[in-house]
């Protein structure tokens, strides 16, 4: 009789875990958007004790991916997803060479960066779905830049 009662405990725990996961709801949603990006580049020449910083202009890019939303508690959710990002960074600079009789040529540089991001956020959502909601989240993401190119126009 004691052996039979000990075997009931693992079965009861398994059924409890299965019933809890059966009520969990995971929602998937596509996300597409516009992102604005800028970048700074610092160049240091230690031999000449020279350091310059160049900042790009705010440039548009695109993003898109799929987000999974798992409800943990009444207003707490776990967000996870995979996203593609394209950043089009633009640097433009005009160099004054008029003292040397060369005028003021301008230089425009474009950096095209393609990357993947895998976010994992703990989210708080107030209110009810379908109505106006306040949302706040915190968490890390892993990113991988898989391609990039640079175009220079003088």
């Amino acid at each position: 009789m004691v052996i039979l009662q000990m075997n009931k405990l693992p079965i009861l725990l398994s059924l409890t875990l299965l019933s809890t996961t059966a009520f969990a709801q995971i929602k998937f949603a596509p996300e597409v958007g516009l992102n604005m990006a800028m970048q700074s580049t610092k160049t240091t020449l230690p031999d000449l004790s020279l350091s310059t910083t160049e900042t790009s202009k705010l440039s548009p890019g695109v993003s898109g991916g799929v987000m999974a939303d798992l409800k943990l508690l009444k207003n707490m959710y776990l967000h996870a997803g995979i996203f593609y990002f394209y950043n089009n960074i633009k640097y433009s600079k005009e160099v004054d060479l008029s003292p040397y009789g060369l005028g003021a040529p301008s230089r425009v540089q474009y950096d095209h960066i393609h990357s993947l991001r895998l976010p994992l956020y703990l989210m708080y959502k107030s209110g009810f779905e379908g109505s106006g909601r306040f949302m706040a989240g915190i968490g890390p993401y892993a990113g991988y830049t898989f391609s990039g190119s640079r175009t220079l126009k003088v």
Side-chain angles (χ1 to χ4, degrees):
M1 190 71 137
V2 173
I3 295 173
L4 186 59
Q5 288 177 350
M6 289 178 63
N7 287 336
K8 288 182 183 179
L9 183 62
I11 293 171
L12 183 62
L13 283 174
S14 298
L15 287 175
T16 303
L17 290 174
L18 287 174
S19 66
T20 303
T21 57
F23 290 111
Q25 294 181 0
I26 299 177
K27 295 180 182 178
F28 294 95
E31 288 188 19
V32 177
L34 173 72
N35 62 331
M36 300 297 284
M38 60 188 301
Q39 177 176 311
S40 289
T41 303
K42 183 175 182 178
T43 306
T44 304
L45 300 172
D47 295 342
L48 302 175
S49 298
L50 181 66
S51 178
T52 61
T53 301
E54 190 175 7
T55 303
S56 72
K57 295 184 176 190
L58 198 59
S59 303
V62 295
S63 64
V66 177
M67 190 64 120
D69 195 19
L70 173 65
K71 187 173 186 175
L72 300 175
L73 299 172
K74 182 181 176 186
N75 292 345
M76 296 299 291
Y77 295 81
L78 185 65
H79 268 337
I82 182 167
F83 290 94
Y84 163 78
F85 279 83
Y86 168 70
N87 290 322
N88 181 28
I89 309 295
K90 179 182 178 182
Y91 289 95
S92 61
K93 188 175 185 179
E94 192 171 296
V95 181
D96 185 16
L97 297 176
S98 54
Y100 307 106
L102 298 173
S106 62
R107 173 183 67 103
V108 179
Q109 172 184 314
Y110 294 95
D111 292 342
H112 307 281
I113 303 168
H114 304 269
S115 60
L116 283 177
R117 292 185 188 167
L118 303 165
L120 183 63
Y121 302 136
L122 184 62
M123 299 287 293
Y124 170 79
K125 297 180 182 182
S126 69
F128 298 101
E129 190 171 337
S131 64
R133 297 178 102 174
F134 170 77
M135 298 185 338
I138 187 168
Y141 75 85
Y144 177 71
T145 300
F146 59 88
S147 176
S149 65
R150 176 171 282 172
T151 306
L152 186 62
K153 296 179 182 178
V154 180

